[in-house]
Amino acid sequence: MCGIVGYVGAQPSVPFLLDGLKKLEYRGYDSAGIAVIENGEIEVVKAKGRLTNLENKLKTLKPLTGCCGIGHTRWATHGEPSDVNSHPHTSSRVTIVHNGIIENYSELKTFLISKGYTFVSETDTEVAVKLLDHYYYNDPIKDPVEAIMKTIKQLRGYYALGILFKDYPDTLFAVRRESPLIIGYGDGENFIASDVPAILKYTKKYSLLDTDEIATITADGVKVVTHLGFPVEKEILEANWDLESAEKGGFPHFMLKEIHEQPKALLNTLNPRIKDGMPDFSAEKIEDDLLRNAPALHIVGCGTAMHAGIVGKYAIEQLARVPVTVDIASEFRYANPILHPNEPVIVISQSGETLDTIAAMRLAKGQGCPIIAIVNVVGSTIAREADYVLYTWAGPEIAVASTKAYSVQLATLYLLAIRLAWLRGAIDDPRAKELTADLLEVPAVLDKLLVNTDNIKHIASTYINSQSAFYIGRSLDFALSQEGSLKLKEISYIHSESYAAGELKHGTISLIEDGVCVVAIATQERLLEKMFSNIKEVKTRGARVFLITRSDSIIPDGLVDDVVRLPDIDDFLAPLATILPLQLFAYYMALLRGCDVDKPRNLAKSVTVE
């Protein structure tokens, strides 16, 4: 998490740094800071809180005009959010910004104290900058790259570093291990950044810095070497996003914009993978035998991606009759999972840089399992290391709470489910083509739901004082409810849990009392009667019930307080439509409660630490 930017060129760097940080604030907003080389000195300005605090602080100071600088927006790991713990951190001669965690910072700090260094912050980052200072100023040659090599040899953990040396006023240095960092190429100016949106305004050309590669960046060019000093020729990529796609486009929040982008994102994901009316993965070189002969599948992800995997499990098992396990990535790697070389592992990550998911992928790959990655970011770590990559083509997702990424991950899993079922003879050609055609109709279903969202806003307004919410459903509806519950809690701060509706009477119903919010999902025709019985159980105990159901459901009088009916859609595909009103309900609950929708407290977009 956290965001890094850097600029070197012929123009004052501060406007570039601030603009880049605005584009990266979704990665962390506990504090922000910049460092600029000004008249031979490194000037550091930083402030606790949102980026506007830093901007206001800069307005009170003498303008910084230096043309080489670095910036940072922080999600706190070591040390509370404060001015002193904010980045950049400096030794006065060397200054760095840092994304990630230095795991052995404590022993390194003891070593540096013995060498006469003192510390003012609680961060692991200050250890890294003073270790770099130590190696640089004890080297008679004073070679920055050599000092960086010696430093990273001592660091354990995951990090991306942007570095300024006082002795090199026209040069940026950068290095990374696991945490993402890119180099942007401009005309007479160059950049570093944690993510592409930070540089889109200035260039679409960029390279991905690989693990333990060290970059020396000036206005005129870029040199990259390995940790052993061997030169590296970097491939220059071109971003397929435009600046508009990384802006709000007239919407009040990125989250609402991204909810509305879901029909288009689904078409972008589905269309390239449907041939002759059937799911087709030949472009990704996924051989039919891999799917046909797999005795089992494993799905791994974190948070929203893991929730997509749970729906995928239900879909694959129902349709293809193949056993599927779903694991939280952070638990998968420590659970000594039972894996066999002919069992594909599907890893899901919007960013492709989720650290726990990367570690899980490497564990599975080390045991010989073929890796199928579902990711959104081209060239990300997971995309580069997986055996097969299914890009979701959703475009940039800026809001911390994921919406369109979830939908396209689901759509990709549905394509896999249909292909698997057909290859294994669980469904015939007509049924496979029928489901594929229905899948292509889902964007139109979402368009119908998006025509009038005021009804969901009104429903949300009647629940905004709720202290707790319970989401209930059965089968695919229960799988989906887990993501709906997460959306509500992460942006509205209302305590929310998801339960299989049949489990209510096994303990949870003790929490139901007058006025408690229950969001019930009932889209599966064969389970409607059972769901209505479960709803009656909570209604009898005083719950206020918001129901999302089929267009043709006959709802008993007085059973629910509010209802949203879905346009006609196959029960099997209903989660792809049902998620939209759940997302909108969470959005309006947060909005009406005065929460910061795009930047919920304590959260950041890309989780690149354990």
Side-chain angles (χ1 to χ4, degrees):
M1 301 185 291
C2 305
I4 289 173
V5 294
Y7 171 85
V8 59
Q11 302 182 57
S13 61
V14 171
F16 292 89
L17 299 177
L18 292 177
D19 188 64
L21 290 177
K22 288 177 184 176
K23 301 299 190 299
L24 293 178
E25 201 175 6
Y26 62 91
R27 298 180 68 93
Y29 30 89
D30 290 334
S31 60
I34 62 170
V36 176
I37 299 183
E38 189 86 358
N39 300 319
E41 298 293 333
I42 300 177
E43 300 290 342
V44 175
V45 183
K46 49 190 183 177
K48 175 185 174 181
R50 297 296 172 87
L51 183 59
T52 52
N53 294 347
L54 174 65
E55 291 177 306
N56 291 335
K57 191 171 186 178
L58 284 166
K59 290 175 184 176
T60 68
L61 304 174
K62 181 181 178 181
L64 298 175
T65 59
C67 299
C68 182
I70 52 178
H72 189 268
T73 180
R74 182 179 186 236
W75 185 85
T77 55
H78 292 66
E80 66 179 5
S82 66
D83 284 5
V84 72
N85 287 332
S86 304
H87 297 216
H89 286 277
T90 186
S91 66
S92 77
R93 302 175 295 194
V94 181
T95 300
I96 70 171
V97 288
H98 166 218
N99 179 17
I101 288 179
I102 309 301
E103 294 176 341
N104 60 333
Y105 78 97
S106 182
E107 61 190 76
L108 292 174
K109 187 173 183 178
T110 300
F111 165 75
L112 289 165
I113 290 172
S114 73
K115 297 296 182 182
Y117 286 91
T118 58
F119 291 82
V120 297
S121 78
E122 304 168 89
T123 68
D124 53 341
T125 304
E126 192 178 4
V127 171
V129 72
K130 288 179 177 174
L131 185 65
L132 182 55
D133 180 277
H134 166 74
Y135 282 123
Y136 180 69
Y137 280 95
N138 283 286
D139 181 353
I141 303 175
K142 300 290 188 294
D143 182 345
V145 173
E146 183 70 25
I148 294 170
M149 288 180 187
K150 291 178 179 177
T151 298
I152 64 173
K153 188 176 180 180
Q154 300 300 319
L155 298 181
R156 281 203 317 271
Y158 310 92
Y159 50 80
L161 303 177
I163 307 166
L164 296 179
F165 286 85
K166 178 180 172 181
D167 296 343
Y168 290 79
D170 301 316
T171 308
L172 288 175
F173 298 88
V175 63
R176 69 165 286 244
R177 181 177 296 163
E178 307 300 350
S179 293
L181 199 64
I182 65 170
I183 302 167
Y185 302 91
D187 183 9
E189 56 190 14
N190 291 305
F191 312 84
I192 59 171
S194 299
D195 207 350
V196 172
I199 63 170
L200 275 179
K201 185 176 179 180
Y202 310 105
T203 182
K204 289 188 176 183
K205 295 180 179 178
Y206 69 99
S207 291
L208 300 159
L209 204 59
D210 284 326
T211 286
D212 287 344
E213 288 182 343
I214 301 163
T216 303
I217 305 158
T218 65
D220 300 323
V222 175
K223 294 181 181 178
V224 179
V225 298
T226 70
H227 67 290
L228 298 175
F230 299 120
V232 178
E233 288 294 325
K234 299 303 296 181
E235 178 186 7
I236 297 180
L237 307 172
E238 185 155 350
N240 58 359
W241 303 339
D242 56 26
L243 182 61
E244 183 180 354
S245 65
E247 301 286 353
K248 291 180 183 174
F251 287 90
H253 298 96
F254 279 110
M255 183 178 177
L256 188 60
K257 173 178 180 275
E258 288 156 12
I259 289 171
H260 280 261
E261 287 175 340
Q262 286 175 117
K264 181 181 177 182
L266 284 171
L267 287 173
N268 290 344
T269 297
L270 294 170
N271 280 332
R273 299 186 175 103
I274 295 175
K275 185 177 180 181
D276 299 326
M278 296 281 283
D280 181 88
F281 299 103
S282 58
E284 287 88 5
K285 297 181 170 57
I286 300 178
E287 297 177 0
D288 285 345
D289 283 348
L290 176 67
L291 302 177
R292 183 187 290 114
N293 299 328
L297 298 172
H298 304 273
I299 298 177
V300 180
C302 298
T304 288
M306 186 267 292
H307 289 159
I310 293 172
V311 179
K313 167 189 168 68
Y314 275 75
I316 292 168
E317 289 188 341
Q318 283 189 21
L319 199 65
R321 311 307 297 158
V322 181
V324 181
T325 65
V326 180
D327 286 281
I328 302 169
S330 57
E331 290 295 314
F332 179 83
R333 60 189 294 207
Y334 299 115
N336 195 18
I338 301 171
L339 302 170
H340 297 98
N342 57 346
E343 296 174 350
V345 175
I346 301 171
V347 297
I348 308 175
S349 168
Q350 189 280 138
S351 67
E353 301 291 352
T354 310
L355 188 59
D356 285 315
T357 308
I358 292 170
M361 174 186 68
R362 289 172 178 167
L363 172 65
K365 196 167 187 179
Q367 296 192 28
C369 295
I371 306 297
I372 300 172
I374 299 176
V375 297
N376 191 41
V377 178
V378 176
S380 56
T381 299
I382 290 175
R384 295 200 307 275
E385 296 187 17
D387 299 300
Y388 310 96
V389 184
L390 299 173
Y391 285 118
T392 51
W393 307 122
E397 188 179 66
I398 306 300
V400 168
S402 183
T403 52
K404 63 178 178 176
Y406 178 79
S407 294
V408 293
Q409 288 162 0
L410 274 190
T412 307
L413 289 167
Y414 271 107
L415 283 172
L416 280 167
I418 297 168
R419 185 75 182 177
L420 264 168
W422 177 75
L423 286 170
R424 300 167 79 96
I427 58 174
D428 58 17
D429 282 28
R431 179 58 174 157
K433 289 185 177 180
E434 178 188 22
L435 282 172
T436 305
D438 288 347
L439 192 55
L440 276 173
E441 288 299 315
V442 170
V445 172
L446 297 189
D447 281 330
K448 291 178 183 177
L449 286 166
L450 286 167
V451 167
N452 179 20
T453 61
D454 286 345
N455 63 325
I456 298 176
K457 183 177 182 179
H458 172 72
I459 291 169
S461 72
T462 68
Y463 291 87
I464 57 172
N465 293 321
S466 300
Q467 299 302 308
S468 293
F470 297 93
Y471 284 65
I472 60 173
R474 287 175 177 263
S475 185
L476 284 164
D477 290 337
F478 166 56
L480 180 73
S481 73
Q482 295 174 65
E483 175 62 11
S485 176
L486 174 64
K487 284 284 97 55
L488 183 71
K489 74 180 74 171
E490 69 182 339
I491 64 171
S492 75
Y493 317 141
I494 294 172
H495 169 259
S496 176
E497 300 295 339
S498 169
Y499 291 94
E503 281 294 291
L504 285 171
K505 60 183 70 68
H506 295 283
T508 308
I509 203 164
S510 66
L511 298 172
I512 303 299
E513 56 187 359
D514 284 348
V516 166
C517 171
V518 172
V519 180
I521 306 169
T523 69
Q524 305 297 296
E525 185 175 17
R526 64 189 174 88
L527 296 171
L528 284 181
E529 286 187 4
K530 293 184 183 298
M531 273 301 301
F532 289 163
S533 293
N534 297 137
I535 293 170
K536 185 66 175 175
E537 291 167 359
V538 298
K539 189 65 178 169
T540 299
R541 288 158 177 82
R544 295 192 64 236
V545 179
F546 169 32
L547 172 67
I548 302 174
T549 191
R550 301 161 52 90
S551 61
D552 58 358
S553 295
I554 300 173
I555 305 169
D557 290 343
L559 183 67
V560 303
D561 298 277
D562 302 283
V563 63
V564 167
R565 293 182 180 272
L566 302 175
D568 289 337
I569 188 169
D570 190 292
D571 284 13
F572 178 69
L573 300 174
L576 281 164
T578 312
I579 189 58
L580 194 145
L582 292 174
Q583 292 167 345
L584 286 168
F585 181 68
Y587 170 80
Y588 286 119
M589 288 283 274
L591 181 69
L592 294 170
R593 286 167 63 90
C595 302
D596 191 334
V597 174
D598 284 339
K599 302 184 185 76
R601 68 187 181 204
N602 301 333
L603 298 179
K605 183 68 177 173
S606 180
V607 183
T608 57
V609 296
E610 287 193 75

